[in-house]
Amino acid sequence: MQINMTGHHVDITDPLRDYVHTKMDKVIRHFDNLIDVHCILTVEKLQHKAEATLRLAGDTLHAAAVEEDMYAAIDAMTDRLDRQVRRHKDKLTDHHNGAGRPRNA
């Protein structure tokens, strides 16, 4: 899986890049059919915004977070993505064991 990072009005430093990679490892651990991730980090006045678009096989997930600190925005964004990935994985899993069998057979 490939993680692309873009910065608008902010330089993507190595510690910031490493922090995003470690946080995205949590998302990757829950679902292994990821194609790629595009992360955009933006600074506008006093607001730090982190956005990510996650491409899955047959679907696309998007999450964004705005905080006063860039690291807090990355944390919130990855938490939202993690929740979406787990929900997507649950939708793919068949939870109806024996749904086709008759009751009194």
Side-chain angles (χ1 to χ4, degrees):
M1 189 199 66
Q2 183 177 0
I3 299 177
N4 298 325
M5 294 185 64
T6 306
H8 291 182
H9 305 292
V10 64
D11 292 330
I12 305 295
T13 60
D14 287 335
L16 197 58
R17 183 178 305 277
D18 292 339
Y19 190 74
V20 171
H21 280 277
T22 56
K23 286 298 191 173
M24 292 305 284
D25 284 340
K26 177 180 166 185
V27 176
I28 295 167
R29 194 171 355 127
H30 285 119
F31 196 67
D32 55 350
N33 291 336
L34 303 175
I35 297 172
D36 69 342
V37 178
H38 184 75
C39 185
I40 301 171
L41 305 177
T42 308
V43 175
E44 295 176 355
K45 295 189 180 181
L46 298 176
Q47 294 182 343
H48 297 263
K49 184 176 183 181
E51 299 178 67
T53 303
L54 191 79
R55 286 191 3 190
L56 307 170
D59 204 4
T60 302
L61 302 176
H62 181 78
V66 178
E67 298 287 336
E68 292 182 3
D69 181 35
M70 183 60 77
Y71 290 98
I74 293 169
D75 286 341
M77 181 222 19
T78 54
D79 288 342
R80 289 177 185 161
L81 265 181
D82 189 42
R83 235 178 291 126
Q84 288 181 12
V85 165
R86 281 191 272 144
R87 190 177 330 127
H88 180 75
K89 186 176 177 182
D90 284 342
K91 286 180 182 179
L92 294 178
T93 307
D94 184 23
H95 295 288
H96 302 288
N97 289 335
R101 288 184 286 157
R103 289 184 184 232
N104 296 334

